[in-house]
Amino acid sequence: MNSGQTMFVILAFVLLASLTLSINRTMLMSSNLGLEMEVNLNALSLGQSLLDEMLNKEFDQVTINGNRIFDANSLSSTLGPEAGESITLPDTYPYQSKSKFKYNDFDDYNNYRRFAKDSILGDFTIDVVVEYVNETNPDNVSGSRTYQKRATVTVTHPNMAKNVQLANEPVIPVVLKDLWVYRRFFQQ
């Protein structure tokens, strides 16, 4: 083999190596994107399941047993579980918190945290905040009791898309919001 042929063989190996690296990088990026999409879909499903669970409860502690409210000031002044409605679970307790809590109204879930285990993806963390909101603009939190409550459910997982702009928030969470409007006060 002369030096010209050797140069062609070396060039061919360089081209093959760069092509192989390019293909591997593309496959890795595709795998990461697929994992992030699967994590986000599972997070969305977990968050929506919790919202559905919450919306199956009564609007407020005072509206349980069919009690009707005609004045928003008659609603609970505190958001969160009342005495006897929760038990303490260890931080590592899996999704069974759903069956261990005795929540009976929507706002009992304020400052609630649930851990959901996925056999493939691992642990998801679900946090809830419930707030009274302004009746004319539900995006604004109300300083007083109203006939509207908003739940914000935030689901996080270590494999979610990374937030490169904020160092204190390593992942971009899935955030779901739902509004519950108390309408029974219109009934006779």
Side-chain angles (χ1 to χ4, degrees):
M1 208 190 264
N2 64 25
S3 63
Q5 291 174 328
T6 305
M7 295 276 286
F8 280 125
V9 170
I10 292 173
L11 182 61
F13 278 123
V14 169
L15 288 174
L16 180 62
S18 66
L19 179 64
T20 303
L21 287 174
S22 177
I23 290 172
N24 285 343
R25 185 179 12 223
T26 302
M27 289 173 52
L28 182 61
M29 287 174 35
S30 176
S31 295
N32 284 345
L33 182 61
L35 178 62
E36 287 175 4
M37 289 175 57
E38 185 174 354
V39 166
N40 284 343
L41 284 173
N42 282 8
L44 185 63
S45 175
L46 290 168
Q48 187 60 52
S49 293
L50 183 56
L51 279 173
D52 291 344
E53 176 186 327
M54 293 171 64
L55 290 168
N56 281 321
K57 308 293 183 186
E58 287 289 333
F59 179 77
D60 195 82
Q61 184 67 29
V62 297
T63 63
I64 294 175
N65 300 325
N67 296 333
R68 293 188 290 179
I69 301 301
F70 299 96
D71 179 16
N73 290 324
S74 300
L75 296 169
S76 296
S77 59
T78 58
L79 298 173
E82 286 75 27
E85 288 186 334
S86 66
I87 59 174
T88 304
L89 298 172
D91 285 344
T92 57
Y93 211 72
Y95 195 69
Q96 296 173 14
S97 57
K98 179 178 178 181
S99 62
K100 299 292 182 186
F101 284 83
K102 298 172 177 60
Y103 290 165
N104 56 8
D105 62 275
F106 186 74
D107 67 71
D108 286 346
Y109 290 87
N110 188 37
N111 296 321
Y112 173 70
R113 172 171 272 188
R114 175 180 287 175
F115 298 96
K117 292 189 179 291
D118 184 283
S119 59
I120 297 171
L121 298 171
D123 297 338
F124 288 83
T125 303
I126 308 165
D127 293 302
V128 181
V129 174
V130 178
E131 302 164 306
Y132 283 111
V133 293
N134 189 310
E135 292 180 359
T136 56
N137 186 359
D139 290 330
N140 293 334
V141 176
S142 174
S144 60
R145 292 170 273 188
T146 67
Y147 290 113
Q148 295 182 8
K149 293 179 185 176
R150 180 184 66 205
T152 304
V153 176
T154 306
V155 185
T156 56
H157 186 276
N159 290 336
M160 289 181 156
K162 305 299 182 221
N163 191 346
V164 294
Q165 296 171 341
L166 296 175
N168 60 345
E169 282 191 45
V171 297
I172 301 171
V174 170
V175 179
L176 298 135
K177 293 183 180 187
D178 208 337
L179 184 69
W180 191 347
V181 178
Y182 180 68
R183 297 186 187 274
R184 293 186 186 168
F185 63 93
F186 292 116
Q187 298 173 354
Q188 294 293 337

